[in-house]
Amino acid sequence: MSIALVVTAGALVSAGTYLLLQRVLTRIIVGFVLLAHGANLLLLAAGGRAGDPPFSAADGSVPDDVAEPLPQALALTAIVISFGMLVFLLALAHRSWALTGDDEVEDDVEDRRVSASIGGTDLRSDTPEDAEDVDPGDAVADRPHDDRSADPR
């Protein structure tokens, strides 16, 4: 297979990975698209050189130089999945733009507040005995109540 195809796929994957790690949603979407294109190129490069179509002739004979159909099927499946993910990410970006007017992904302030109210306990702890000590209801009980949400009766 052509070395240029593999180098191009590597460049697309590395640029896509870099853009996925950014905080701006448009860069994340472009990074996902680049990563998907790089993966498709790698799948096509894994298929080897081009050959005859992977179908048998009308008389039942099989050509000698047949292309491998599995990488082609995987690439087609990857294209469909990446298109679906792209549409989903575009919908998220549109919703974020409509709500905030900006496409930057911000820190989750509520998550930090709940973590601080618990006492700085790391909820992503790997040890189950630490997770048993945390009562998520305590953080909700400490939340200040709004008088407007009370029942007016």
Side-chain angles (χ1 to χ4, degrees), residues 25 87-103:
L25 208 51
V87 170
F88 178 69
L89 288 174
L90 285 173
L92 285 178
H94 181 268
R95 180 69 176 161
S96 174
W97 180 264
L99 289 178
T100 64
D102 193 14
D103 67 341

Side-chain angles (χ1 to χ4, degrees), residues 87-150:
V87 170
F88 178 69
L89 288 174
L90 285 173
L92 285 178
H94 181 268
R95 180 69 176 161
S96 174
W97 180 264
L99 289 178
T100 64
D102 193 14
D103 67 341
E104 185 174 346
V105 179
E106 298 176 1
D107 289 337
D108 191 4
V109 179
E110 181 70 16
D111 182 44
R112 288 187 180 189
R113 189 189 67 76
V114 168
S115 178
S117 70
I118 291 176
T121 306
D122 189 10
L123 297 177
R124 296 171 292 173
S125 174
D126 293 335
T127 57
E129 55 271 356
D130 290 344
E132 292 174 0
D133 296 339
V134 177
D135 183 16
D138 291 342
V140 175
D142 294 340
R143 184 179 296 174
H145 297 288
D146 191 5
D147 290 336
R148 292 177 290 171
S149 64

Side-chain angles (χ1 to χ4, degrees), residues 13-51:
V13 168
S14 62
T17 304
Y18 173 75
L19 288 174
L20 274 176
L21 299 175
Q22 303 297 315
R23 295 183 65 94
V24 180
L25 208 51
T26 10
R27 290 185 182 181
I28 293 172
I29 292 172
V30 170
F32 175 75
V33 169
L34 289 178
L35 190 66
H37 286 321
N40 289 334
L41 279 179
L42 284 176
L43 283 172
L44 291 177
R49 59 183 213 73

Side-chain angles (χ1 to χ4, degrees), residues 39-102:
N40 289 334
L41 279 179
L42 284 176
L43 283 172
L44 291 177
R49 59 183 213 73
D52 291 335
F55 300 110
S56 60
D59 60 356
S61 64
V62 178
D64 294 334
D65 189 22
V66 177
E68 180 67 32
L70 184 62
Q72 296 173 9
L74 288 175
L76 184 61
T77 304
I79 289 170
V80 171
I81 291 172
S82 64
F83 181 72
M85 286 293 297
L86 174 65
V87 170
F88 178 69
L89 288 174
L90 285 173
L92 285 178
H94 181 268
R95 180 69 176 161
S96 174
W97 180 264
L99 289 178
T100 64
D102 193 14

